DNA sequence: CGTCTTTTTGAATACTGTCAATTTAAGTGG
DNA sequence: CCACTTAAATTGACAGTATTCAAAAAGACG
């Protein structure tokens, strides 16, 4: 499972600061091709979002590195030194926190254009780990470079603050979900959220493939994998979904939305 | 319950920008006394924490305003325009998010030195509300002023990022709690966290008064007020605590810590 | 083609929620 | 100061939802 994750992280690091490099970078892990933020097809979802055109071109001076992470590999571990924030270019990640006794909790799923690693700033160490759920590509953005780049540019400083704040808001919703929803509401909220994010990226809102296992969904939603499976079956019986393993087709979007508010009489 | 909260917020605003004031500021709500960050007794917990001495003195130029909020009053509502971040000077707040159907979830309790309102940056509107649980005092720090003040001072920019990141990390723990702990573990985690924060502020770690109701604790921990009450009784029977309504005495700190890990065999 | 993992489903259990009654504390007003 | 009202907390009985344990089916992979 968790193979050369640190290796990759080091490779990214080494490319950025070759003078510190001890080992040659693994060519399979790093894509030397430089894509500029200003011309990136993800610029409306990623770091550049909410920036003015000028600011985005300013971002092009950022020495970030694109890197591949294969399914099951870990991009960064809990406790790793915080150096980069990562933007997902393609594929899906999960981020997890681990309890002393080994219990693991999925705290987020991340798809293209979304940022990971912002929780590392607090302690200078990552507070969660990020694992690829499929073949993925990420941009590793060196945080200190980003800081110096935006110094003085208050419009750009704001953007980073906003992105962190957005993460706080996102976690609020998840706490709401975990704290006061039943199994059906949780899964409905999860699917509708996924649907929206896919739609915003130009994919179908009603038909998609889950990149995560029942166990991972369960960990994220605070329930067991069996309950996740049963709830999928229940939705199918209510003719809200068609489920075939990880392939989902939402046949009654309104009905699913109602399942979110079913709790009240 | 929720009386002149917006009023107070406006008063703070008006004091800072008197040219916009329509109504005189309520003198009971605002304390004109200026306390400097550099000489504040909370500087090690609040905004100045992790700043160098020079930077803290720089903070003294910040035109923040101290304000009183009485028990039950709301400092800011969900959806209010984001202008200030608030630092608790004394007393306790809860912050809540509300679902469309009216369900409310407590997402945090805040005591002296802790910041509130950072979630408002994302949308320019507060994503949660803050309600005083007792007689309180807060410093209202105008965010745009703070931004201009730290512009160019990268060491100070960092601090704001760290504070937001810390909030993300804090919410991770709560998600862990809500997602994978049972009632006893949740209450134990809550009490131990409270105990630590009180201790850090020079109060007793083992004996304290809860400022929040059973219902508020329950909302925060994702359980009903009855279960909270029963779990308090259970801890009392296990001789971990002595409970008298809201007065708590932890008689077996180790035992309580063990209750956090009881879930494993 | 066999092994391993993932998913589904069933049955029994356990935990927490719901409903209800009681106690205690805290105000309120005559 | 006391009767009255209201709110908060405790406790019991019961119901319901989700978990646990177990088994079987369906893919995925070498």
């Amino acid at each position: 499972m968790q193979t050369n994750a640190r290796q990759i992280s080091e490779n990214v690091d080494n490319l950025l600061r070759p003078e510190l490099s001890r080992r040659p970078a693994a060519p399979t892990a790093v894509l030397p091709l430089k894509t500029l933020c200003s011309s990136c097809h993800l610029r409306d979802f990623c770091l550049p979002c909410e920036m003015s055109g000028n600011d985005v071109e300013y971002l092009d001076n950022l020495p970030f590195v694109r890197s591949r992470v294969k399914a099951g590999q870990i991009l960064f571990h809990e406790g790793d030194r915080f150096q980069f924030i990562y933007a997902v270019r393609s594929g899906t990640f999960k981020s997890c926190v681990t309890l002393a006794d080994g219990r693991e909790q999925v705290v987020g799923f991340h798809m293209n254009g979304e940022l990971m690693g912002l929780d590392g700033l607090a302690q200078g160490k990552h507070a969660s780990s990020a694992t690829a759920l499929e073949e993925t590509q990420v941009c590793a953005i060196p945080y200190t470079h980003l800081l110096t780049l935006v110094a003085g540019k208050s419009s750009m400083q704001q953007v980073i603050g906003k992105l962190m704040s957005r993460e706080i808001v996102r976690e609020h919703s998840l706490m709401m979900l975990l704290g006061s929803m039943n199994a059906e509401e949780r899964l409905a909220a999860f699917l509708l959220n996924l649907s929206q994010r896919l739609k915003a990226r130009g994919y179908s809102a009603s038909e998609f493939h889950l990149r995560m296992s029942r166990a991972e969904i369960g960990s994220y939603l605070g329930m067991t994998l069996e309950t996740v499976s049963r709830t999928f079956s229940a939705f199918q019986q209510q003719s809200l979904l068609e489920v075939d393993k990880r392939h989902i087709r939402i046949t009654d979007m309104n009905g699913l939305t109602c399942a979110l508010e079913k709790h009240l009489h």
Side-chain angles (χ1 to χ4, degrees), chain A:
Chain A
M1 266 287 184
Q2 54 188 71
T3 56
N4 58 337
R6 281 208 172 79
Q7 173 79 38
I8 287 173
S9 190
E10 277 169 20
N11 287 337
V12 174
D13 191 21
N14 292 341
L15 269 201
L16 289 166
R17 303 181 304 160
E19 72 280 3
L20 292 179
S21 176
R22 303 258 164 92
R23 280 172 292 198
T28 54
V30 175
L31 304 175
L33 314 158
K34 174 79 178 169
T35 305
L36 298 176
C37 283
S38 60
S39 58
C40 177
H41 64 289
L42 290 171
R43 67 181 172 283
D44 294 336
F45 302 102
C46 192
L47 194 59
C49 84
E50 307 197 59
M51 281 190 187
S52 70
N54 284 344
D55 285 348
V56 176
E57 282 174 25
Y58 217 81
L59 265 189
D60 291 342
N61 298 312
L62 202 59
F64 67 83
V65 164
R66 281 173 52 187
S67 159
R68 285 188 194 283
V69 187
K70 288 186 211 153
Q73 284 188 333
I74 300 180
L75 179 60
F76 56 84
H77 290 78
E78 227 169 313
D80 278 1
R81 184 160 72 97
F82 171 70
Q83 288 179 272
F84 303 98
I85 57 179
Y86 298 91
V88 182
R89 272 191 65 80
S90 65
T92 314
F93 280 85
K94 67 171 176 180
S95 53
C96 301
V97 294
T98 314
L99 217 59
D101 57 30
R103 272 179 285 180
E104 199 181 75
Q105 167 88 18
V106 175
V107 295
F109 295 112
H110 311 275
M111 47 203 281
N112 48 15
E114 294 175 342
L115 295 178
M116 301 182 293
L118 289 169
D119 59 7
L121 186 51
Q123 316 270 11
K125 293 187 293 189
H126 284 287
S128 59
S129 66
T131 307
L133 298 180
E134 56 185 325
E135 175 80 19
T136 58
Q137 287 182 37
V138 293
C139 296
I141 302 160
Y143 184 70
T144 52
H145 284 249
L146 183 62
L147 267 191
T148 51
L149 191 70
V150 304
K153 281 249 172 196
S154 70
S155 63
M156 290 177 78
Q157 279 171 39
Q158 282 258 34
V159 171
I160 302 175
K162 279 195 185 181
L163 291 168
M164 300 194 83
S165 181
R166 191 188 296 175
E167 183 71 8
I168 295 173
V169 174
R170 186 187 72 76
E171 301 204 344
H172 279 173
S173 335
L174 191 52
M175 282 162 46
M176 177 102 237
L177 181 148
L178 291 168
S180 60
M181 291 187 182
N182 64 21
E184 294 208 349
E185 292 174 312
R186 290 178 197 205
L187 192 62
F190 169 73
L191 291 171
L192 289 169
N193 174 270
L194 215 56
S195 165
Q196 275 184 277
R197 284 152 75 195
L198 290 167
K199 186 180 180 184
R201 282 159 182 78
Y203 303 113
S204 167
S206 60
E207 193 163 2
F208 46 84
H209 191 80
L210 297 173
R211 307 299 168 164
M212 61 293 285
S213 69
R214 299 289 188 261
E216 286 162 337
I217 296 173
S219 172
Y220 182 64
L221 297 179
M223 50 208 241
T224 59
L225 66 96
E226 292 93 334
T227 305
V228 174
S229 180
R230 273 186 254 271
T231 310
F232 268 124
S233 302
F235 281 162
Q236 202 164 210
Q237 275 198 319
Q238 296 165 41
S239 302
L240 301 175
L241 302 177
E242 284 169 20
V243 184
D244 179 26
K245 303 281 175 245
R246 296 192 179 184
H247 190 86
I248 306 291
R249 207 160 76 85
I250 301 178
T251 51
D252 183 356
M253 193 67 82
N254 284 339
L256 201 59
T257 310
C258 290
L260 249 179
E261 294 148 21
K262 218 170 173 181
H263 207 60
L264 42 103
H265 332 264

